[in-house]
Amino acid sequence: MSRSGKVNLACAAMVLTSLLVAVVLYPHLPDPVPTHWDLRGQPNGFTPKPWGAFVSSLEIGGLLLLMLIIPRISP
């Protein structure tokens, strides 16, 4: 396996790990999930539980796919 293949596999493993952590911790999260805090550390922004738990994993996965696709379509 080439070095880039190993890197891609490691990145995919990290995405799957983040999804697994979100699934395991999902029952313990509050609804809504705090997503923004003020300077005193008080939450002042909230997201519904499904989005709050999985949006980071979806963003990481989307960025990985983008990084895999860009070299193939780049002129």
Side-chain angles (χ1 to χ4, degrees):
M1 181 179 290
S2 69
R3 183 172 183 197
S4 64
K6 290 178 183 177
V7 170
N8 292 339
L9 188 61
C11 290
M14 285 188 256
V15 171
L16 291 176
T17 301
S18 70
L19 280 170
L20 179 65
V21 168
V23 167
V24 169
L25 295 179
Y26 187 81
H28 305 289
L29 293 174
D31 191 14
V33 177
T35 53
H36 189 269
W37 292 262
D38 62 17
L39 292 174
R40 295 178 309 229
Q42 300 299 315
N44 62 3
F46 298 89
T47 303
K49 190 174 179 178
W51 283 106
F54 298 107
V55 74
S56 296
S57 298
L58 294 174
E59 287 175 348
I60 295 168
L63 285 172
L64 175 60
L65 287 175
L66 184 64
M67 293 300 121
L68 293 173
I69 292 170
I70 285 176
R72 298 181 198 286
I73 63 173
S74 178

